[in-house]
Amino acid sequence: MRHRLRGRSFSRKSAHRKAMFENLAAALIKHEQITTTLPKAKDLRPIVERLITIGKHGGLAGRRRAIAALQDTALAEKLMTTLAQRYAARAGGYTRIVKSGYRYGDDAAMAVIELIDRDLSAKGKDSGPTGPKEEAEEAAA
């Protein structure tokens, strides 16, 4: 019986699942549109909606909760300023899930999850981590 069991396990332990959704949420807030599997997109939606609501409420405690969830102060700043202003008049429903066919390798249902009224220039901006090698190359140039 599945009484009181919510969400999917995705064949991962709880810590791995939590980290996966934190990373997906950070990527969605950074790029405002990502492609993932349909079940992951469906489970990611309430996480991101809560984060945007935290950003709309503002305050120091909200900022600390956002930083704890996203592990990035720049993304928390975007959440508290840009996204909070954009969705100030909207009472929920900040994301959209669009089915996008099936993946070639394993035939998994794919979907695009995006923010409503997204900034088209945010896609791909500042993508990926910057390691010490890349920082050394930039300093040498």
Side-chain angles (χ1 to χ4, degrees):
M1 290 181 277
R2 280 188 45 88
H3 298 308
R4 297 180 59 129
L5 294 178
R6 283 185 52 221
R8 299 169 180 88
S9 66
F10 294 106
S11 298
R12 291 165 168 85
K13 303 228 182 229
S14 61
H16 185 183
R17 194 167 48 248
K18 180 177 180 262
M20 177 184 69
F21 281 114
E22 285 177 356
N23 289 331
L24 283 172
L28 182 59
I29 289 172
K30 180 189 255 184
H31 302 291
E32 300 192 11
Q33 178 186 25
I34 59 172
T35 302
T36 184
T37 62
L38 183 61
K40 285 180 189 171
K42 286 182 176 180
D43 281 6
L44 177 63
R45 171 182 261 173
I47 295 168
V48 173
E49 302 257 343
R50 276 190 209 104
L51 283 173
I52 293 175
T53 303
I54 287 170
K56 282 174 60 175
H57 289 289
L60 180 60
R63 182 175 303 275
R64 287 179 174 165
R65 286 176 65 192
I67 291 171
L70 298 172
Q71 300 294 315
D72 189 355
T73 55
L75 288 181
E77 183 64 27
K78 178 179 180 179
L79 184 70
M80 303 297 280
T81 57
T82 308
L83 297 180
Q85 291 170 3
R86 185 185 305 168
Y87 299 120
R90 182 180 286 269
Y94 313 113
T95 58
R96 171 189 301 128
I97 297 175
V98 181
K99 294 181 183 178
S100 63
Y102 299 92
R103 188 162 51 201
Y104 174 70
D106 59 357
D107 209 32
M110 298 299 287
V112 174
I113 181 168
E114 63 184 6
L115 298 179
I116 303 289
D117 302 329
R118 68 186 172 92
D119 179 18
L120 297 177
S121 66
K123 186 175 180 182
K125 183 187 283 186
D126 191 26
S127 179
T130 57
K133 182 179 177 184
E134 294 176 14
E135 291 173 1
E137 291 174 0
E138 290 175 6

